[in-house]
Amino acid sequence: MDEYIVKNVKDFRLDHVFDCGQCFRWEKQADGSYTGTAMDRVVNMQFVCGDRASEPETTGDLIIKNCTEEDFLQIWKPYLDLDRDYGEIKRTLTADDLVMGEAVACGQGIRILKQDLWETIVSFIISQNNNIPRIKGCIENLSQMFGLPAGEYAGRTYYSLPGPQKLASLTAEDLAPVRLGYRTRYLLETAKMVCEKGLPEDEVQLSALCGVGPKVANCILLFSMAKYDSFPIDVWMARVMSQLYGIDEGDHKGMCTYAQEHFGQLGGFAQQYLFYYIREKNR
DNA sequence: TCGCAGGTGGTCG
DNA sequence: CGACCACCTGCG
């Protein structure tokens, strides 16, 4: 099997990357590695920390199994955002912000994935007013029932999400076993819209989709459209912004303004560190 | 049993 | 335009 090794990756940790709320399709294995699918590929990733005691556990070699060099360069390198200097981002964010220092220390290995646009739209429409195990279940059901096989790993077949055409061809009845609840209608409407008008290219087109409000739109912008100043605010972000910065939990607008003024272009990265921090604290 | 979970659309005033 | 509130579903 093809295997690709990336040496000396910095500011990286798989559990931080895959457990900071941006993706739902990576599964932790017994050996600590993660298997998952994205961009119609199935791979297994393992991160081996450097053995020198001085090295932090966020520096090491990334082993990607079921991956050619070409796939790494074309798909996984951009997907994992490996060309960006997260050390620099963390230094900037924590320079004059003590509480952010605490948050960053907690999620040192976070990276913002560059995910497929359609998959991100579907995932975050499903995510609304929902809990993570159920979100994962819905996405899994949808893929297995209506998606195409993306590949195999360790004897198991993985399926990719059905595309907009496939989804638009289905009825609410077809989708009932997926257990999407009232989000079924959102997904069908959105699939039809994308078939007619194409994938959204900016925030306005994104917000025109059914089931896409400000929070979901910001997630899509941040996780698949490279708009790194996006600052999605959900219940957890409202909590952490209230706890750390004293902004009223109901004042989402005030939080947006605060993020713009204090985090600027790095708002999305700040959001990830804060989100991971508050989730860890409540684990 | 009932509240709640990574919000949004619809409906009021 | 801002403040409510119903909403599928499954779990504790």
Side-chain angles (χ1 to χ4, degrees):
Chain A
M1 188 199 310
D2 288 310
E3 174 178 296
Y4 191 86
I5 300 178
V6 198
K7 296 270 185 195
N8 198 33
V9 181
K10 289 171 185 156
D11 305 296
F12 191 94
R13 249 185 78 160
L14 288 172
D15 51 347
H16 292 175
V17 173
F18 292 135
D19 206 17
C20 64
Q22 57 183 330
C23 57
F24 304 99
R25 301 208 66 187
W26 291 90
E27 213 174 273
K28 192 171 193 170
Q29 309 297 308
D31 63 356
S33 69
Y34 283 80
T35 302
T37 170
M39 319 296 209
D40 295 320
R41 300 284 197 285
V42 180
V43 295
N44 172 273
M45 296 193 192
Q46 186 170 14
F47 192 64
V48 182
C49 295
D51 50 11
R52 282 189 295 140
S54 60
E55 280 189 295
E57 53 187 6
T58 51
T59 300
D61 298 342
L62 176 65
I63 304 164
I64 310 179
K65 287 182 178 151
N66 207 19
C67 172
T68 61
E69 179 172 16
E70 194 188 350
D71 270 7
F72 170 71
L73 294 171
Q74 297 282 319
I75 296 173
W76 303 110
K77 196 178 180 193
Y79 181 84
L80 296 168
D81 205 19
L82 290 183
D83 280 331
R84 194 180 308 276
D85 183 355
Y86 278 72
E88 176 67 25
I89 291 171
K90 290 187 279 189
R91 279 191 293 278
T92 306
L93 283 175
T94 56
D96 54 356
D97 185 335
L98 252 71
V99 285
M100 179 60 79
E102 208 177 317
V104 165
C106 173
Q108 299 228 22
I110 286 173
R111 275 169 184 266
I112 294 184
L113 299 173
K114 175 112 177 59
Q115 301 180 72
D116 175 77
L117 178 54
W118 174 247
E119 175 166 331
T120 310
I121 291 171
V122 171
S123 300
F124 282 90
I125 286 178
I126 293 173
S127 80
Q128 65 184 70
N129 193 27
N130 212 340
N131 56 56
I132 292 173
R134 215 168 78 81
I135 297 166
K136 289 183 171 174
C138 288
I139 294 173
E140 207 48 48
N141 291 341
L142 198 54
S143 303
Q144 284 188 17
M145 295 186 65
F146 303 107
L148 297 170
E152 271 184 42
Y153 186 82
R156 192 183 136 190
T157 304
Y158 290 76
Y159 294 83
S160 52
L161 274 177
Q165 288 81 13
K166 174 68 184 175
L167 199 53
S169 76
L170 303 171
T171 64
E173 219 168 42
D174 295 329
L175 287 169
V178 180
R179 314 305 285 163
L180 294 163
Y182 61 84
R183 302 164 198 82
T184 299
R185 197 190 107 238
Y186 296 169
L187 236 42
L188 286 175
E189 300 263 325
T190 289
K192 282 172 194 157
M193 180 88 111
V194 168
C195 286
E196 285 167 20
K197 313 206 169 191
L199 284 165
E201 290 175 5
D202 55 39
E203 187 165 3
V204 175
Q205 294 176 8
L206 204 48
S207 303
L209 299 175
C210 188
V212 178
K215 191 269 176 181
V216 170
N218 274 302
C219 284
I220 298 167
L221 286 164
L222 182 57
F223 302 138
S224 73
M225 295 174 86
K227 209 165 169 310
Y228 295 110
D229 59 337
S230 304
F231 196 77
I233 299 169
D234 58 21
V235 290
W236 291 99
M237 281 306 291
R239 275 170 211 165
V240 76
M241 289 301 281
S242 158
Q243 281 178 31
L244 298 188
Y245 297 104
I247 304 173
D248 187 276
E249 261 195 62
D251 186 11
H252 288 201
K253 204 173 168 187
M255 293 175 189
C256 280
T257 309
Y258 186 92
Q260 275 173 24
E261 287 172 357
H262 293 262
F263 310 136
Q265 291 303 109
L266 300 180
F269 302 99
Q271 194 269 359
Q272 287 296 278
Y273 293 120
L274 292 169
F275 182 85
Y276 189 81
Y277 172 72
I278 191 73
R279 290 310 300 258
E280 274 305 299
K281 254 177 68 168
N282 285 271
R283 195 176 292 273

